[in-house]
Amino acid sequence: MSQSTESTTESNPFTKPGFIIAAALVVALIAAAVVIFLLPKGRDTAQPAPAPAKSSNSATASPSASATAEKSICDLPSSSESSLGAAPKTKWELVGTMAAPTDPKIGPGKTDDPGIRSCFAHTPTGALYAAVNLWALGIDPSKERAIAEQLAAKGPGRDAGMKTPATAAPASAVKIQIAGFNVSYTANQAVVELAFKADTGALASVRTTLLWQDGDWKGVVADNGAPLEEPRQVRDLSGFIPWSGA
């Protein structure tokens, strides 16, 4: 890693341990992604993607009894589909600096005053949309408390996020956009692996685990509020379904 990259990383508040733990959900993932995107483009840290492992997080181990609910809290449709093998056609909206998908039949079906986007269809596509919108919201550090409260799955990780002081970290100078995806899906749980492309040209991927809980998709975090998995740098989009809005 070059000296300039090391200096940039050290001065970036997103890389400080205290901030990573305090950012209950997506901001922590963005923090790790920033570090990866600052690596030299030729430095590939990717390993073959392992099968999703069962988490020890109590939210994953004991999903809400409402997880079997068919429809979303805003009456978006459900389906018996269990896979998503092609990129969905969608409208894209800019959420902060990231383009996020939106569709009246898929979601988000609700956007509150702070701009938190929620309520997605109980389908593989709904899980994909939920994951992307979650990431887009998480780029804004001012939303971290609202994200933990409204979009995190019930469990110790959500509780930890709710108890941490709000941070005042500035938004990252690194701009990233969705570049591709893979979805592993069951009726109660989805693992969405997203590929991101930075404005520097670097690529990274990360898995986001979602639970169908209380009529919506909720993001799962570790018991300390940190992400279950951190992003990893990738060379290209091999193995991903290309999909982007910017």
Side-chain angles (χ1 to χ4, degrees):
M1 185 180 292
S2 66
Q3 180 63 39
S4 61
T5 301
E6 290 177 353
S7 299
T8 304
T9 302
E10 290 174 359
S11 63
N12 192 330
F14 283 81
T15 64
K16 296 179 180 179
F19 175 74
I20 292 177
I21 293 174
L25 192 57
V26 188
V27 179
L29 295 171
I30 292 293
V34 167
V35 176
I36 286 177
F37 287 135
L38 290 175
L39 290 173
K41 289 175 61 177
R43 184 170 175 175
D44 185 6
T45 62
Q47 300 293 329
K54 292 183 179 180
S55 168
S56 61
N57 186 293
S58 60
T60 304
S62 302
S64 167
S66 62
T68 57
E70 287 299 320
K71 288 189 176 181
S72 70
I73 54 174
C74 57
D75 294 325
L76 292 178
S78 62
S79 77
S80 59
E81 296 176 353
S82 60
S83 63
L84 184 58
K89 295 181 179 180
T90 189
K91 175 184 177 183
W92 295 82
E93 293 179 344
L94 202 60
V95 179
T97 60
M98 183 185 290
T102 181
D103 187 292
K105 295 182 179 179
I106 300 171
K110 177 183 177 183
T111 302
D112 64 9
D113 289 339
I116 300 300
R117 297 157 70 91
S118 62
C119 189
F120 294 87
H122 193 185
T123 65
T125 306
L128 172 64
Y129 279 39
V132 177
N133 276 272
L134 191 59
W135 269 85
L137 288 169
I139 292 178
D140 184 352
S142 68
K143 291 183 170 64
E144 65 183 55
R145 182 69 63 83
I147 290 172
E149 179 180 9
Q150 299 183 45
L151 304 181
K154 294 176 181 177
R158 179 181 182 275
D159 295 341
M162 291 298 297
K163 292 177 181 178
T164 54
T167 63
S172 169
V174 177
K175 309 302 182 188
I176 65 175
Q177 300 292 338
I178 298 297
F181 72 89
N182 282 306
V183 177
S184 175
Y185 181 86
T186 67
N188 297 335
Q189 179 174 305
V191 178
V192 180
E193 185 172 17
L194 297 173
F196 295 93
K197 185 175 183 179
D199 53 8
T200 61
L203 293 167
S205 70
V206 68
R207 287 189 182 94
T208 302
T209 299
L210 303 168
L211 291 181
W212 184 255
Q213 196 174 78
D214 298 330
D216 201 2
W217 291 109
K218 306 288 186 179
V220 180
V221 293
D223 288 353
N224 66 353
L228 290 178
E229 295 187 35
E230 292 189 353
R232 58 192 183 95
Q233 191 176 33
V234 295
R235 288 187 182 277
D236 53 42
L237 295 177
S238 299
F240 289 92
I241 298 172
W243 191 51
S244 63

